[in-house]
Amino acid sequence: MRSLVLIGHGSHLNGESASAVYRYAELIRERGLYDEVIEGYWKEDPSLRQVLKTTASTDVTVIPMFISEGYFTETVIPRELGLGHQGPVPPGGVARVLGGRTVRYTLPYGVHPAMTDVIVERAREALPDFSAADTALIVLGHGTTRNENSNRVIYHNAQTLRESGQFAEVHALFLDEDPKVGTWPEVVRAARVVVVPFFASEGWHTLETIPEDMDLSGPVTVFAENPHGPQTVYYAKPVGTHRAVADVILHLAEEASGASTEDGDPDHAHTAAWATVMERARQGLRLGEVLITCQSGVFEIRHALDEGMPGHELQTLVTPEGVRDATRRDEGGHHRPVHTLRNLPRGWRAVLNEADLKRAIHYLYPAVVEETYAHTCHVLRHTPWPTTARRQTGIYAKVQKATPAQVEAVAEDVCGGCLRTRLWAGRKLPHTFFDGVPGGIPCAEACTFLVAEVREEVSGKRGGGHTHNH
Ligand code: SF4
């Protein structure tokens, strides 16, 4: 058995950043090369701290879904996964045995050499007949002063493409550092210019900042009076959303696994946890806010408050992804970064087979089955607040200054709306959903949502009594 884990940044505020990772997970799942493909996030469920627990096998490859190396890929992700590695990741990745699993952590997909071909593909889409005679290529990066690594990948790709001789000129330009993108009319001489943004996704930068800085009016813009004569600019889509990125991810995973690796064994605790849930589900199970029932081997999930509603009055979903998408927002339309907050929307039912039920539960309540089962077996480790606080770096380091009273006040407010019970704060959880208590779910460690709220409190930005759990 082999598991592939894709790690995204995620967001406490909106669901867009997770969507790109979902899409690649689906593309790779369709290829059937891995027994499971799951997603994990820094700021959403399943969190980096939980995601390894949700894997079914003991052979796990973790790929950071980032466009360049930097703070997240070198510091935050390895730290949160507990890899015991900090700093640059070598080309073959970092391998560790963690909790009985072999975990391989790779470079981010953006630095893989195959991304050079993705740049060319994007250029070809924007200008199918580009030529070495009259076409310049601009590889456009974000660039930043905080992380010297992020420009390296841009320069490297520009150099490789320059050497390939496919373009008359190749330039590396940046939004946030020199040479800036706005200087292009002075540095680019060719009559036709293709601009390929080396960005992970379509967003504010690709839709607004770049067109503004370059004076573009659409996919093709004609400049009649530039210093080097008339020029036409062809604006390509960002590299990160190209389908071929799925192949790059698979290359990275294969390179990290090494030729001689044997397939891993199934994880026994994981298998036991899910066997128990399935057995309960067959008899009818309340888990968190949902009710799972079974008739003739077909499972139905719905919000427990929709119990007894006629099926035709509810939206019927038939795939785990349908469940994921129907429950990404609460009824007020707010993004749900923490899935165990009691804000699951009503009005839907999912009809699923056993394999799909497992995936749907994973989307609804990631890591909840594994952690609750571990709790019932007395093997779930708790991380007290001071340890979580000490681990924080960057802008979150200031949570170390929070007093116990401040942490408790914020937790009362935030966690008060959460199904989980704070074992990390010394609370007890004698009964779980396995024993018929639907909301009996442990919280072994403060989530990043709470950490962010404590940071707001320490910064004096959190209004008294203001509840953030919509
Ligand atoms: S820290 Fe609080 S809000 Fe976050 S998962 Fe735990 S109980 Fe829920």
Side-chain angles (χ1 to χ4, degrees), residues 45 50 338 340-341 411 414-424 441-451:
D45 280 343
Q50 300 164 333
V338 182
T340 45
L341 287 182
V414 173
C415 307
C418 186
L419 292 161
R420 291 185 186 260
T421 297
R422 281 175 280 147
L423 304 185
W424 56 266
I441 302 170
C443 180
E445 177 172 328
C447 64
T448 64
F449 186 65
L450 181 72
V451 171

Side-chain angles (χ1 to χ4, degrees), residues 69-249:
E69 294 165 285
Y71 177 59
F72 281 102
T73 64
E74 295 180 353
T75 304
V76 175
I77 300 172
R79 182 191 75 210
E80 296 294 294
L81 292 177
L83 281 182
H85 171 92
Q86 290 281 278
V89 174
V94 173
R96 293 280 188 279
V97 176
L98 299 176
R101 290 179 176 80
T102 301
V103 179
R104 296 184 188 81
Y105 178 65
T106 74
L107 284 164
Y109 76 87
V111 303
H112 193 276
M115 288 303 286
T116 313
D117 301 332
V118 180
I119 296 174
V120 176
E121 278 308 305
R122 281 298 193 214
R124 206 184 307 281
E125 285 166 12
L127 180 59
D129 68 337
F130 73 75
S131 117
D134 71 348
T135 313
L137 171 70
I138 297 176
V139 184
L140 181 50
H142 187 282
T144 160
T145 44
R146 203 178 77 173
N147 172 16
E148 47 185 329
N149 289 332
S150 74
N151 61 14
R152 210 165 57 196
V153 62
I154 308 293
Y155 282 120
H156 179 76
N157 277 300
Q159 182 59 25
T160 309
L161 288 164
R162 208 170 283 132
E163 286 163 8
S164 78
Q166 300 178 74
F167 298 90
E169 311 160 34
V170 180
H171 300 271
L173 298 179
F174 300 93
L175 271 185
D176 252 19
E177 67 182 53
D178 289 334
K180 288 252 175 75
V181 64
T183 63
W184 77 269
E186 287 108 67
V187 297
V188 183
R189 295 170 169 270
R192 301 195 296 168
V193 185
V194 188
V195 182
V196 178
F198 203 79
F199 282 70
S201 58
E202 200 79 91
W204 182 57
H205 284 310
T206 59
L207 298 174
E208 311 225 356
T209 333
I210 299 171
E212 207 174 288
D213 287 4
M214 294 191 73
D215 252 340
L216 305 181
S217 52
V220 181
T221 310
V222 178
F223 295 82
E225 296 178 1
N226 271 359
H228 299 295
Q231 289 178 304
T232 306
V233 174
Y234 300 84
Y235 185 40
K237 296 219 170 306
V239 291
T241 54
H242 198 287
R243 275 184 78 87
V245 169
D247 298 307
V248 175
I249 294 166

